[in-house]
Amino acid sequence: MLKHVSFLTGDLPAAVAFYERLGAVIEKRAVTPEGYDRAVLRLGEGRLQLFEVTGETPRPHPHWAEHVALYVSGLRALLPELRAAGVRVTRDLQPSPGGRDMAFVLDPDGRQVELLERDGGEASR
């Protein structure tokens, strides 16, 4: 099940306005600890995170910058199966900020995919 998709943008207000026209609702606006302006938009059941990156700000770490986040069941068992199938794990199993098991892998095209344990408390993002 989709949790969220994260994109970088050079113009956060314009990006937010665009997605609002498509039916998105702002859930949260904040500045990350790293100093990036961030908006979280609700789109149906899933979320879209937008991080503003301008010429003055350094590129954020690829693990959280642009990725798809999915809820999965049984992540502790799934991760070794993915490794055995040749999937590259870029961030090993660890607790998410909300306490869920979390890991990052690459899809066949090299895109970051965040895997979050479906069972457990809701992560605060």
Side-chain angles (χ1 to χ4, degrees):
M1 175 195 317
L2 179 69
K3 180 183 186 280
H4 67 260
V5 176
S6 293
F7 290 138
L8 302 178
T9 179
D11 186 344
L12 187 60
V16 167
F18 172 80
Y19 285 103
E20 282 181 315
R21 279 188 217 101
L22 298 177
V25 176
I26 296 175
E27 279 194 349
K28 186 188 304 185
R29 286 290 302 264
V31 176
T32 69
E34 301 83 6
Y36 300 101
D37 287 332
R38 172 183 176 228
V40 178
L41 308 173
R42 183 170 32 86
L43 287 159
E45 300 281 324
R47 306 293 183 269
L48 171 62
Q49 294 187 107
L50 298 168
F51 296 92
E52 186 171 60
V53 177
T54 62
E56 308 89 58
T57 55
R59 297 293 287 184
H61 195 282
H63 286 308
W64 64 264
E66 294 197 301
H67 67 276
V68 174
L70 303 173
Y71 285 123
V72 298
S73 295
L75 180 57
R76 287 179 181 264
L78 177 61
L79 204 54
E81 292 174 17
L82 293 172
R83 276 194 176 101
V87 172
R88 183 167 167 225
V89 176
T90 59
R91 191 169 174 187
D92 214 345
L93 191 68
Q94 62 185 301
S96 73
R100 295 177 186 267
D101 280 346
M102 170 184 76
F104 280 79
V105 299
L106 295 181
D107 78 2
D109 293 304
R111 285 181 289 264
Q112 290 284 343
V113 179
E114 177 183 359
L115 303 175
L116 288 149
E117 180 60 48
R118 180 187 309 249
D119 304 317
E122 177 63 27
S124 57
R125 291 195 156 222

